[in-house]
Amino acid sequence: NKKTMAILVTGGLGYIGSHTVVELLKNNFEVVIIDDLSNTEKFILENIEEVSGKKPIFYPFDLKRKELLKQVFDAHQIEGCIHFAAFKAVGESQVKPIEYYENNLFSSINLLQEFRERNISNFIFSSSCTVYGQADKMPIDEETELKLPESSYGKTKQMGEEILRDFAAAYKKRVTLLRYFNPIGAHPSAKLGELPIGIPNNLIPFVMQTAAGIREKLSIWGDDYPTVDGTAVRDYIYVVDLAKAHVKALQKLINSTQEKVIDIYNLGTGKGSSVLEVVHAFEKANDVKVPYEIKDRRAGDTTIAYANADKAEKELGWKSETSLKEALRTVWQWQKYLETRDN
Ligand code: UD1
């Protein structure tokens, strides 16, 4: 009575998670999703099925519910996990730090206990370039010194990484830490994307809603940075490209002959774009206007951050393929899709 092997994807109905589930299904992985729907909606599951033509198994609960988690591991032969589920709003984490530490750390620890008890390896962790803080030189490679992030959110990512390093070392497990730069865009089908819940904090969802007339004006947080045009520079990576990197990272872990692995990869394009460049690229790509005004700098923002993603190319055979313009087109298609759903 051998159960089929499955990959557990926590937060699999979230923004990056949902795109990754589609890529996993495309590559014939069996997928088990756990998502508490705290920052997404159930229709995303239907859309994953529509887009991929396959059905992932879905459990709606919070990873802090240890007894429910156990049941999932009892019911399925889990051979690895991609752990996306986490709170991720930087500003919110500053006013609710305990909620962030509890949610983001306990969920990881509960998963790792199951991995240890059942002797499962192959754990992929969603980390962030926020672990580098304001790096001293660009581009940022994986050897760049880590700095304690300013936000509690960022600290949970750095602590999560540390917990996983100890886990891999002590129990001889295979672990990959993926450090995302700024994920943007939506699925080409326009059926999956970043669900803007409340007032968006991140640049692209705010630009999207401003172009759609939902927001009056975009505030650009500072134009006095020492950059090309004074606005801050980031590395915007297309979410489907990012999702594909997860499949490559998972295949590498599963196929590894080593007992213990701690791999770390930056996932970015290797190219920096300023806020104004992004705004103008969005206008051009979609033939729309994005009214904006310049405001003071946002507390905690770094001036410039872009990746050296050579290691992922060399070791995973992965690189960013989609242009900023193309990625920004998918954002607008997604907005139009959301409007048809509202009506
Ligand atoms: C933030 C987090 C990062 C997290 C990422 C995705 C920090 C310092 N950064 O990245 O850890 O992984 O979100 O959730 O913890 N901007 C505007 N106006 C806006 C919104 C943004 O000008 O309305 C600017 C920002 O100042 C920044 C750029 O756009 O220069 C990108 O901002 P954002 O999308 O929020 O991402 P980050 O702050 O880079």
Side-chain angles (χ1 to χ4, degrees), residues 151-208:
S151 71
S152 299
Y153 156 76
K155 287 174 191 159
T156 68
K157 288 296 170 192
Q158 203 172 93
M159 291 175 191
E161 286 198 1
E162 293 308 318
I163 291 168
L164 278 156
R165 280 179 210 271
D166 291 354
F167 168 80
Y171 307 114
K172 299 198 172 57
K173 300 293 187 197
R174 291 183 295 272
V175 165
T176 299
L177 311 176
L178 296 179
R179 294 177 180 154
Y180 313 145
F181 282 68
N182 291 54
I184 60 161
H187 196 267
S189 65
K191 295 288 168 74
L192 302 171
E194 187 167 15
L195 277 176
I197 296 174
I199 300 174
N201 292 302
N202 293 119
L203 178 62
I204 302 302
F206 208 104
V207 165
M208 177 181 96

Side-chain angles (χ1 to χ4, degrees), residues 252-270:
K252 178 164 187 264
L253 280 191
I254 289 175
N255 295 331
S256 172
T257 52
Q258 283 167 284
E259 212 181 2
K260 188 193 93 180
V261 172
I262 305 176
D263 280 337
I264 302 176
Y265 299 107
N266 284 343
L267 299 179
T269 66

Side-chain angles (χ1 to χ4, degrees), residues 10-305:
T10 75
L13 299 189
Y15 175 42
I16 308 172
S18 58
H19 289 86
T20 301
V21 167
V22 167
E23 295 306 315
L24 288 170
L25 293 170
K26 259 198 205 168
N27 283 274
N28 297 316
F29 284 99
E30 291 285 326
V31 176
V32 173
I33 296 172
I34 303 177
D35 195 306
D36 68 358
L37 298 165
S38 61
N39 195 27
T40 186
E41 290 179 40
K42 189 72 188 293
F43 79 86
I44 295 293
L45 180 64
E46 293 156 26
N47 288 9
I48 288 173
E49 291 174 11
E50 192 182 319
V51 165
S52 67
K54 290 187 184 169
K55 235 179 155 70
I57 296 156
F58 170 56
Y59 294 97
F61 67 85
D62 181 329
L63 290 167
K64 296 196 288 306
R65 303 278 306 273
K66 274 180 141 175
E67 68 293 352
L68 295 179
L69 192 56
K70 256 186 205 331
Q71 288 172 16
V72 172
F73 279 86
D74 285 340
H76 305 279
Q77 184 74 40
I78 302 297
E79 73 169 328
C81 165
I82 308 180
H83 179 34
F84 292 102
F87 291 162
K88 61 167 186 179
V90 174
E92 184 186 59
S93 78
Q94 296 301 84
V95 292
K96 291 182 170 178
I98 301 305
E99 283 87 341
Y100 270 67
Y101 290 120
E102 181 192 33
N103 189 65
N104 293 3
L105 298 182
F106 285 0
S107 59
S108 300
I109 291 168
N110 290 347
L111 282 167
L112 292 175
Q113 280 175 342
E114 293 300 329
F115 267 59
R116 172 171 54 86
E117 280 167 24
R118 297 166 196 263
N119 197 23
I120 307 170
S121 203
N122 308 321
F123 197 104
I124 297 181
F125 181 63
S126 290
S127 190
S128 163
C129 66
T130 193
V131 298
Y132 297 115
Q134 177 59 70
D136 299 326
K137 66 173 187 17
M138 290 299 140
I140 300 171
D141 65 24
E142 292 82 355
E143 300 302 310
T144 303
E145 179 200 357
L146 302 186
K147 291 186 181 154
L148 195 65
E150 276 194 42
S151 71
S152 299
Y153 156 76
K155 287 174 191 159
T156 68
K157 288 296 170 192
Q158 203 172 93
M159 291 175 191
E161 286 198 1
E162 293 308 318
I163 291 168
L164 278 156
R165 280 179 210 271
D166 291 354
F167 168 80
Y171 307 114
K172 299 198 172 57
K173 300 293 187 197
R174 291 183 295 272
V175 165
T176 299
L177 311 176
L178 296 179
R179 294 177 180 154
Y180 313 145
F181 282 68
N182 291 54
I184 60 161
H187 196 267
S189 65
K191 295 288 168 74
L192 302 171
E194 187 167 15
L195 277 176
I197 296 174
I199 300 174
N201 292 302
N202 293 119
L203 178 62
I204 302 302
F206 208 104
V207 165
M208 177 181 96
Q209 291 198 347
T210 306
I214 302 168
R215 312 279 160 208
E216 199 186 328
K217 243 183 215 166
L218 167 75
S219 297
I220 293 183
W221 308 124
D223 71 347
D224 57 351
Y225 285 106
T227 61
V228 270
D229 53 26
T231 63
V233 168
R234 297 289 183 273
D235 184 338
Y236 296 92
I237 171 81
Y238 181 47
V239 67
V240 176
D241 289 341
L242 191 63
K244 290 177 180 168
H246 291 73
V247 177
K248 301 256 186 182
L250 181 67
Q251 285 164 336
K252 178 164 187 264
L253 280 191
I254 289 175
N255 295 331
S256 172
T257 52
Q258 283 167 284
E259 212 181 2
K260 188 193 93 180
V261 172
I262 305 176
D263 280 337
I264 302 176
Y265 299 107
N266 284 343
L267 299 179
T269 66
K271 187 175 168 295
S273 306
S274 76
V275 177
L276 274 172
E277 283 169 348
V278 169
V279 170
H280 292 137
F282 189 93
E283 292 184 321
K284 245 181 121 173
N286 300 308
D287 195 21
V288 291
K289 279 274 154 238
V290 180
Y292 64 82
E293 58 187 340
I294 306 293
K295 294 278 194 61
D296 286 346
R297 292 180 181 193
R298 184 170 72 176
D301 270 351
T302 58
T303 303
I304 176 161

